[in-house]
Amino acid sequence: MNGLLWFRMEYQILFYTILLLKYVNTVHYPTDPTSEMIPDNKNVVLRSNPEELRSDEEFEYGRDSDQEKNSVTESEDKRFLDEALNVINNPFTVLASNQDTIENYKGALENIKHENITLEDFFIQMDKLSLDVCKSSQKSLWSYVLNTNDELAKDNMLSISAEEDDLKIEYWNLIKEKYLQETQSINDTKLNRKLRMIQVKAINHEILRSKDPNRIDAMHRIWSQAIVCSDDSIVCTKETARTLNDIITIFKTSNDSDELKHYWKGYRDATGMKIRPIFQDYLSEANTVAASENFSDAGEIWRYTHEDDNFTETVERIWSEVKPLYQTLHKYVRAKLKTDYNDDFTNDELIPAHLLGNLWAQEWQGIFSKVMLFPNTSKPIIANNNNESIDSKVLFDVVDDFHISLGFESTIDSYEGVTDTTDCISSSHDLCDGVHYRIRWCENNVTDLMEDLTKAGRLMSHIQYFKHYRNLELIFRDGPTPAFHNTFADFFTLQITAPQHLKTLSFVEIDSDNETSLNHLLWLALQKLPMIAYSYILDKWRWDIFANDTMRNWNQHWWDLRTNEMGLSPPVFRNEKDLDPASKYHVVSHVQYITYFISHVLEFQMLLSLCKRANHTGPLHECSIRGNKEAGKLLSDGMSLGASEDWRTVLETITGEREFSTEGIFKFFEPLKEILEAETAKLENAGIQENKASIIIGIVIACLVVVILLLYLLKKTDARNKVLALCGLKQNASLDIVTFEANGATNNGITEIKG
């Protein structure tokens, strides 16, 4: 009984932590729920999306049988998590402290509904109501973030969840009901942008809540409760149960191929295989909602948010240009891993997907130590402190100083209350009042300099974006497309963690040589390039199955993409009982992923442009814009536009360009590409030579065996004669020489035998 209570308590702590980990752990909770609500190993931004979501590192629960529910999870708690996540991600959320607040909110909406006002006045009133709701929502959310054991905060979030669901849809329905004809003749760009954004939010939420029972809730429940036994048991005990976080850690640290294979398969058995039976219903329901709004399918709705009539062609163009760079990295990594896991490599072109340091093989930094170009060159560490730890506030000061050097306002007030703790998820919060912003930091102490500085950089950069667009109407307080919040976070983090910047920090010990620089480039490439490839195939797969409702070979199609585009193979046999993409949070939660594809291209495009403006003449990866007020002004002007202008205008404001370009990412990784090609050639040549040596050794061993056998046979007189006969040495008229040994004789002699 004590074991069961312990497990339930552990699960509840994890569960409530997850609430923030998922939606509070990275980017700002966007006004647009279709914006990247969830990335993988990053931080969070309230009124934004979580960053931990990129790697799905947040959820870790139990299984889905009745017996197992009683032993490892509470369905009511899971239900609360699902509802709370939905609540948090809505810009119009009202976190009511009591029923009166909810009734006031309903009354205000009813008044707007029945008033005979112009469309423009309708927007004004809805913006005001939405802003009031947002302030209440974020205030209550922040209270809950600080104390997830507060039952009142929990009740407040639950009480508003149902109301906020209806509001997003009602906003769009009122426009269609009262202003449809008027909207069809609008020439005002700003009003058209509002209509577009409201429509997308409403449709997305309609998909999320469509039908009863809700398929997305069901899929998410299966996913969030998945555990894998460390042994081959069907039912896990407290000692053998491994949650998602456990499995992610195993993939980062284990060198045991069999162990990795066990968890790779086990996690997909616990998620995708169980989700597959209801996946078709989800596809049908999502497409039905899309059709009701005159979209061809649900995939078109996602592409619509990127404001590019040829978005599919744009994505294909970008991937065709970046793929050779990815393949260079892939070929090198394969050659390196083969030296450690040769028995796992059965195909000359592919890498087994379980060997790349990540459960989904979407980022490969987990194997950095195995594939380092210069393993004797140490990574940046904390100086003069035995590499133990430093106060986390030091990292936030570093990021703040970098932003200030560009001419930005300080955001010190957002992190001055930061405390080190591990029972939460790091997050950035926009409290919607244009004044208050908060960061929740969830690390013990700073021990991994690069990892923690990256997290701090992303958290602070989201706060900067919040502050830059704070004077806009609420509907425009977001990026112009779902990709831009991550773009700015990635861009600033790229600069802050660069060796050139780290050398300016007194508490950092870093070597000043080319080997350090190349190792850093490889470290970045292991994160950026696989993520571009993974985000491309994940959403291409979903676009394809949304567009073809008769397709049933979903898993085969997935592995065709994984093989052909990423060069990866499954470590165990797969078939159509499996649904491997559904092991990913974004798939079961209906969240698009192509945003990371775009953001990783944009960050390097912006870097190239700004470094040209700064008259940088060296390699692009050595460029730092620290202290460059001109570059800071361009960034500030673009960030201040929020979502009030289309993405081309925002990009042009910063770079002078209106289309996506891959020139930046190629120039940045150009020095790495050259050395990877050279190192790969060496590794492959060494492999060939090793194979040749093995063949030669094999031949030598075979010859020795034959010789030994012959010598053995020669010891036997009869056998000797037979061997001589076989060799053509029969007795004839010529002189044969034999050895004569007489028993007891003291002399040996040679006797002539005549025929």
Side-chain angles (χ1 to χ4, degrees), residues 2 52 60 83 86 131 135 137 155 172 190 212 218 221 225 249 322 348 508 525 544 551 559 576 641 656:
N2 291 336
E52 295 292 336
E60 41 168 308
E83 292 173 344
N86 289 333
L131 185 58
K135 291 176 182 177
S137 167
D155 291 341
W172 176 239
K190 288 283 194 298
D212 189 16
R221 185 172 297 106
Q225 295 177 353
T249 299
V322 175
D348 290 338
V508 175
D544 289 345
M551 179 188 292
W559 281 106
E576 291 306 322
L641 293 174

Side-chain angles (χ1 to χ4, degrees), residues 379-396:
K379 58 189 297 188
I381 59 174
I382 301 168
N384 302 321
N385 198 26
N386 297 321
N387 197 29
E388 292 180 356
S389 66
I390 57 173
D391 190 332
S392 58
K393 291 180 181 179
V394 173
L395 300 186
F396 290 98

